[in-house]
């Protein structure tokens, strides 16, 4: 193989393997530059390495850049498996319990006016909010801000009381399992349709809480918060 062909092959490997879009684009541009004919291309097209480049670029154009393998998060995998074991009634209770815990976090963590708004929106569940406080995780400022953002996005959409809490819990659970095995995620998305921003980030402290609730519901150990 000539030195030129070797260089092109290395660029091909780089374009196919890198996860950095800017590096991939530069590699492809260099491939095209190296394979640009010095004179007018013959009617039959180019051969050899240049033909391989053309095929690669054609695949990129038709199918896009190959996706990188999914990175599974162990905590997300464990939670997804626990949720898959729940029947519909227990999964519904999990949504409500998890939403109550997140609402309790907001009441505890926000400033007085904002916390009062949350409490008023869930006034019919005040006693259950008190019970949920014991499970409320300690979130950093970004985690509290994200929970408040999702609550603010859901509250004006016609949800009140238990429906609002259930929607909050369903959204949180959907985000928490998003890094599990693809087949588990697909199944849970049918059972837990997420409401809101699919790119939302959630605090790591939610994983042990959600898993405890899921396993407790599955084993009927706690009976759930929302009895």
């Amino acid at each position: 193989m000539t030195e030129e062909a070797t260089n092109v092959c290395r660029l091909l490997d780089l374009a196919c393997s890198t996860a950095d879009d800017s590096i991939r684009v530069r590699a492809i541009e260099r491939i095209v530059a190296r394979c640009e004919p010095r004179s007018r291309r013959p009617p039959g097209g180019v051969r050899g390495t240049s033909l391989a480049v053309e095929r690669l670029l054609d695949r990129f154009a038709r199918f896009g850049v190959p996706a990188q393998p999914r990175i599974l998060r162990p905590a997300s995998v464990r939670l997804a498996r626990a949720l898959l074991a729940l029947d519909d009634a227990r999964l519904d209770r999990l949504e409500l319990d998890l939403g109550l815990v997140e609402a309790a976090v907001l009441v505890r963590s926000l400033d007085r006016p904002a916390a009062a708004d949350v409490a008023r929106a869930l006034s019919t569940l005040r006693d259950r909010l008190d019970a949920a406080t014991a499970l409320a995780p300690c979130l950093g400022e970004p985690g509290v801000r994200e929970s408040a953002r999702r609550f603010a996005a859901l509250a004006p959409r016609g949800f009140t009381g238990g429906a609002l809490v259930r929607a909050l819990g369903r959204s949180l659970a959907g985000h928490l399992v998003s890094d599990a095995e693809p087949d588990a995620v697909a199944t849970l998305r049918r059972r837990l349709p997420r409401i809101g921003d699919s790119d939302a980030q959630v605090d790591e402290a939610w994983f042990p809480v959600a898993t405890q609730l899921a396993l407790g519901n599955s084993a009927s150990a706690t009976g759930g918060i929302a009895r």
Side-chain angles (χ1 to χ4, degrees):
M1 182 180 294
T2 66
E3 181 180 355
E4 183 70 13
T6 300
N7 290 336
V8 169
C9 288
R10 288 173 178 168
L11 288 170
L12 280 170
D13 290 341
L14 176 62
C16 291
S17 63
T18 183
D20 189 314
D21 287 339
S22 61
I23 294 176
R24 182 182 293 111
V25 169
R26 287 199 299 271
I28 293 172
E29 288 175 347
R30 290 174 64 187
I31 291 170
V32 173
R34 287 177 180 276
C35 297
E36 189 69 28
R38 304 260 190 248
S39 58
R40 186 172 181 177
R41 178 177 295 181
V46 294
R47 295 291 183 267
T49 304
S50 297
L51 182 58
V53 172
E54 286 188 339
R55 288 173 176 167
L56 174 67
L57 297 177
D58 182 60
R59 286 201 303 274
F60 284 172
R62 287 190 297 167
F63 306 113
V65 176
Q68 296 299 309
R70 285 178 58 88
I71 298 176
L72 303 182
R73 182 182 296 183
S76 189
V77 170
R78 287 193 296 271
L79 177 60
R81 291 174 180 173
L83 296 185
L84 287 172
L86 302 179
D87 59 27
D88 289 342
R90 288 172 175 170
L91 188 61
D92 180 74
R93 192 169 67 199
L94 180 281
E95 294 174 9
L96 188 53
D97 284 353
L98 192 57
L100 283 168
V101 175
E102 188 164 27
V105 167
L106 293 175
V107 172
R108 183 185 67 188
S109 304
L110 297 178
D111 58 40
R112 187 178 295 272
D117 288 342
V118 175
R120 278 194 295 271
L122 305 174
S123 58
T124 59
L125 301 172
R126 184 69 58 84
D127 57 334
R128 296 178 181 178
L129 277 175
D130 292 340
T133 302
L135 289 175
C138 294
L139 305 183
E141 183 179 345
V144 173
R145 186 167 56 248
E146 179 56 36
S147 289
R149 187 191 67 78
R150 291 190 305 105
F151 187 94
L154 291 169
R157 295 176 59 178
F159 296 105
T160 58
L164 175 56
V165 170
R166 187 172 280 106
L168 192 66
R170 185 184 308 127
S171 175
L172 176 56
H175 291 306
L176 288 171
V177 300
S178 61
D179 291 324
E181 296 102 336
D183 57 340
V185 173
T187 300
L188 287 170
R189 279 181 178 169
R190 290 193 294 271
R191 300 182 67 193
L192 286 168
R194 286 193 296 191
I195 301 171
D197 181 9
S198 61
D199 295 325
Q201 300 297 314
V202 292
D203 196 291
E204 291 281 340
W206 280 114
F207 283 105
V209 175
T211 303
Q212 177 183 346
L213 286 171
L215 294 177
N217 281 334
S218 180
S220 299
T222 66
I225 299 168
R227 289 191 291 270

